Amino acid sequence: MEKSTLEEYQDSSSDTRDTPRAELGGHEAHKEDGLSLSPAEKARSIKTLTKIDLHIMPPIIMVYICAFLDRANIANALLFKLPEDLNLTGLQPNIAICIFLVAYVAFEIPMTMLMKRLSPHLFLSGCMFLFGLLVVVQGLVKNYAGLLVTRFLMGSLEAGVYPGCYYLMSMWYSRIEAQKRFSFFFAGASFAGAFGGLLAGAIGHMDGLRGYSAWRWIFILEGTMTCVLAIVAFFTVSDFPEDANWLTPEEKLARVEWLAAEQGPTGFESSVAPKDIIKVLSDWKVLLAAPLYLSVTVPVNGLGYFIPSIVKTYGYSPIQSQLHSVAPWSAALVSCLFVAFASDRARKRYVFLAGSMLLCLVGNVMLLLIHTNRGAEYAGVFLMLMGCVSATPIAICWVAMNLRGHKERAIGIPWQVGFGNASGIIAVFAFPLKDAPQYHLGYALCLGFTCLAIAIATVYYVRCIFLNKKLGHGRYVL
């Protein structure tokens, strides 16, 4: 491998000492490396990074929370007569969830490439408005066929949102700055899971209002909320650093120079050709990234779609089940953020990813083996969800920040996320309702993929060590 490629694994400290124009854009890295900044320079550095955080993070977290709610609210709707009203039998509820994921996986790379062409603020807000509208339509369908069509179209429109947000963040933050932001963004899923349970529990009391079942109101109200917030997103989502009009010229130059010094030229002006796709997908980092993310997210998707149904087997009513699904998601949110801060502080990725998946494994084993102690089973849900949710953004950040520029990230990130989201297809059929309350198949599959995730992460880690040592570089982010 050429030296230019190997340099991806170097820690950012090695390239920044001779780039003073980058000081405004990289306070955290300067702080970590102990570079001496004057009080005025330090104040400007902190001010610029805070400004970037406020413009980048809140809008895309809002977009992702809406996307996650609209994708996963079918899990809440299944408890409120959706199967009975649409005459769903056998695996039809699972197929309705799965068809969303089929479209989601198929369209992730082209949709993310489209985001670069259109600009992030236009792409993300436009997709958000359209899939919100489809959620409203989903609440009005009369049969199984209508449900399948709306969910397929939703999947195709949501496909670029999740990888697109990671792509946008990766172009704004350095390696040392990225993990906290990636995890804070992903924590939106935990918030959405908790908030979705509370919201569905409240909407459940609207059952029969104006002749609509509660599940219809879940889709109608949450979809309407998404459409309204899409208008907000149009005016608040930022574009890439080169096009950001909310930075002063000095701040913009400093940030672009800082990121170029740490990561190399971004290739912002270049377009992506078919040969670039083949080249990126033949890189070992990208090849390993896909099964790593797949393995990590099988338990995330399994619990994400079926926590209300799992908790219901503990003897709760539908509304109580929604409310009892809030606490595990809340715990996962706290765990995700704690692990992210610890990972950035230690400047390690593998240890925290593997450790989180070991926690997931413990919870998984509890759920697989314990079936007579409701408290222990509920604790297993907590541990399993805390572990896999904490590991997921590390798996993305670790790989994404080892890719260079717009071309590699516009292809590599959606490839990783798209291939990985096939885990949702596995998870959907791993938890059929007929397997309740023990769900042996689902828990066994999650256990196997948890072990596989640890194994793949170990291979990636060893490979990174080898390449870093080949460069003779003593400090690196692993």
Side-chain angles (χ1 to χ4, degrees):
M1 189 176 293
E2 296 178 358
K3 189 176 189 297
S4 61
T5 303
L6 294 177
E7 286 174 351
E8 295 166 11
Y9 301 95
Q10 294 184 341
D11 186 271
S12 57
S13 61
S14 63
D15 294 322
T16 58
R17 297 183 185 274
D18 297 323
T19 53
R21 296 297 299 276
E23 287 178 355
L24 288 175
H27 165 68
E28 290 189 8
H30 284 295
K31 178 179 67 177
E32 292 288 341
D33 291 330
L35 297 186
S36 177
L37 297 179
S38 70
E41 289 172 330
K42 185 175 180 180
R44 290 199 304 271
S45 178
I46 294 173
K47 180 181 177 181
T48 301
L49 189 58
T50 301
K51 185 177 181 179
I52 291 169
D53 284 338
L54 292 175
H55 279 82
I56 299 299
M57 299 307 298
I60 64 172
I61 289 173
M62 175 189 70
V63 171
Y64 181 49
I65 287 174
C66 289
F68 189 89
L69 275 175
D70 291 345
R71 177 201 320 175
N73 57 13
I74 191 171
N76 306 112
L78 289 172
L79 297 184
F80 289 110
K81 300 181 186 176
L82 185 153
E84 293 85 348
D85 288 355
L86 298 185
N87 298 313
L88 305 186
T89 59
L91 290 176
Q92 286 182 334
N94 305 72
I95 295 171
I97 297 173
C98 176
I99 198 167
F100 172 96
L101 295 166
V102 170
Y104 195 82
V105 170
F107 287 97
E108 282 199 277
I109 290 180
M111 289 293 278
T112 307
M113 291 169 62
L114 181 62
M115 186 182 88
K116 182 179 184 298
R117 183 178 294 271
L118 293 180
S119 80
H121 85 276
L122 178 60
F123 175 83
L124 292 174
S125 62
C127 287
M128 186 178 176
F129 184 85
L130 291 174
F131 70 66
L133 190 62
L134 283 167
V135 175
V136 175
V137 173
Q138 188 176 226
L140 303 175
V141 298
K142 301 297 184 182
N143 52 46
Y144 177 54
L147 181 65
L148 293 182
V149 170
T150 54
R151 288 199 63 79
F152 182 86
L153 293 175
M154 282 173 56
S156 63
L157 286 168
E158 276 200 34
V161 171
Y162 182 56
C165 288
Y166 279 119
Y167 171 30
L168 179 61
M169 284 189 290
S170 74
M171 302 312 300
W172 273 101
Y173 295 107
S174 70
R175 289 186 182 93
I176 299 171
E177 299 164 346
Q179 185 63 69
K180 290 190 288 291
R181 278 81 180 180
F182 274 48
S183 292
F184 195 72
F185 170 77
F186 186 75
S190 300
F191 174 82
F195 179 68
L198 287 173
L199 190 59
I203 296 175
H205 294 289
M206 296 176 64
D207 190 40
L209 182 65
R210 295 187 176 272
Y212 287 161
S213 298
W215 68 268
R216 293 188 183 275
W217 283 116
I218 289 174
F219 291 144
I220 291 170
L221 294 179
E222 293 185 6
T224 300
M225 177 184 71
T226 296
C227 289
V228 172
L229 292 177
I231 299 172
V232 178
F234 179 81
F235 294 102
T236 57
V237 170
S238 175
D239 291 329
F240 295 112
E242 294 85 351
D243 287 336
N245 56 15
W246 44 268
L247 288 175
T248 66
E250 293 78 12
E251 290 170 338
K252 183 186 296 187
L253 178 62
R255 193 62 184 175
V256 170
E257 286 186 350
W258 162 253
L259 294 172
E262 193 231 25
Q263 302 173 17
T266 65
F268 177 69
E269 301 296 335
S270 60
S271 59
V272 180
K275 65 178 182 180
D276 296 316
I277 298 176
I278 297 172
K279 181 180 179 181
V280 172
L281 295 185
S282 63
D283 188 332
W284 71 268
K285 299 187 301 298
V286 180
L287 291 177
L288 278 179
L292 173 62
Y293 188 71
L294 173 76
S295 304
V296 168
T297 54
V298 166
V300 175
N301 282 308
L303 294 180
Y305 283 113
F306 294 105
I307 271 187
S309 299
I310 291 169
V311 173
K312 186 181 178 183
T313 66
Y314 302 158
Y316 298 113
S317 69
I319 291 180
Q320 288 176 327
S321 299
Q322 305 288 359
L323 298 177
H324 278 82
S325 69
V326 172
W329 281 111
S330 301
L333 186 153
V334 174
S335 173
C336 181
L337 295 179
F338 174 80
V339 170
F341 275 86
S343 176
D344 266 356
R345 185 169 184 81
R347 302 179 86 167
K348 304 291 182 184
R349 300 291 179 247
Y350 169 74
V351 172
F352 291 94
L353 190 155
S356 296
M357 292 310 290
L358 285 173
L359 183 66
C360 176
L361 187 147
V362 171
N364 201 155
V365 170
M366 291 172 65
L367 290 169
L368 189 62
L369 299 180
I370 301 173
H371 304 294
T372 57
N373 186 322
R374 185 169 72 178
E377 290 179 83
Y378 195 41
V381 172
F382 272 78
L383 295 178
M384 187 174 172
L385 193 62
M386 289 167 64
C388 59
V389 166
S390 298
T392 300
I394 296 179
I396 297 175
C397 183
W398 191 12
V399 173
M401 301 312 291
N402 275 337
L403 300 176
R404 294 168 69 94
H406 279 274
K407 283 185 179 181
E408 289 194 9
R409 291 177 183 174
I411 298 168
I413 293 175
W415 160 255
Q416 181 189 21
V417 174
F419 188 96
N421 275 319
S423 64
I425 300 173
I426 298 170
V428 163
F429 292 102
F431 289 86
L433 295 179
K434 67 180 180 64
D435 285 358
Q438 296 184 348
Y439 292 112
H440 277 139
L441 174 63
Y443 294 140
L445 279 172
C446 288
L447 181 63
F449 277 103
T450 298
C451 294
L452 181 61
I454 296 172
I456 296 173
T458 302
V459 172
Y460 190 94
Y461 170 70
V462 171
R463 180 68 170 160
C464 285
I465 288 179
F466 172 77
L467 291 174
N468 275 305
K469 289 186 176 180
K470 187 175 180 180
L471 284 169
H473 191 8
R475 299 176 61 198
Y476 33 80
V477 179
L478 294 173

